[in-house]
Amino acid sequence: MSVFTSSISSLIADPSALRDTAVITGISTLTLIGILYGIRELGREIRQFRKVKA
């Protein structure tokens, strides 16, 4: 727990580190959403391909 509290205090002390962390977190979240959406669409395409093939 001390590692977590020390990282929060260091982020609060340095505004640029907080900004960088927010940017990286946002980009990572958008990337994860894109990957999950892509997997969902891939599954949908495979199901449609099986229907057309049969």
Side-chain angles (χ1 to χ4, degrees), residues 33-52:
I33 291 170
I35 289 171
L36 293 175
Y37 182 76
I39 290 172
R40 182 178 138 210
E41 287 297 315
L42 179 63
R44 185 176 292 159
E45 291 289 328
I46 289 173
R47 281 192 302 272
Q48 286 180 356
F49 179 72
R50 286 181 183 166
K51 287 179 185 176
V52 170

Side-chain angles (χ1 to χ4, degrees), residues 1-52:
M1 190 69 172
S2 65
V3 173
F4 183 70
T5 54
S6 66
S7 7
I8 289 179
S9 63
S10 66
L11 284 176
I12 291 172
D14 187 11
S16 65
L18 183 62
R19 183 195 64 225
D20 294 345
T21 303
V23 167
I24 291 171
T25 304
I27 291 172
S28 300
T29 303
L30 289 175
T31 303
L32 179 62
I33 291 170
I35 289 171
L36 293 175
Y37 182 76
I39 290 172
R40 182 178 138 210
E41 287 297 315
L42 179 63
R44 185 176 292 159
E45 291 289 328
I46 289 173
R47 281 192 302 272
Q48 286 180 356
F49 179 72
R50 286 181 183 166
K51 287 179 185 176
V52 170

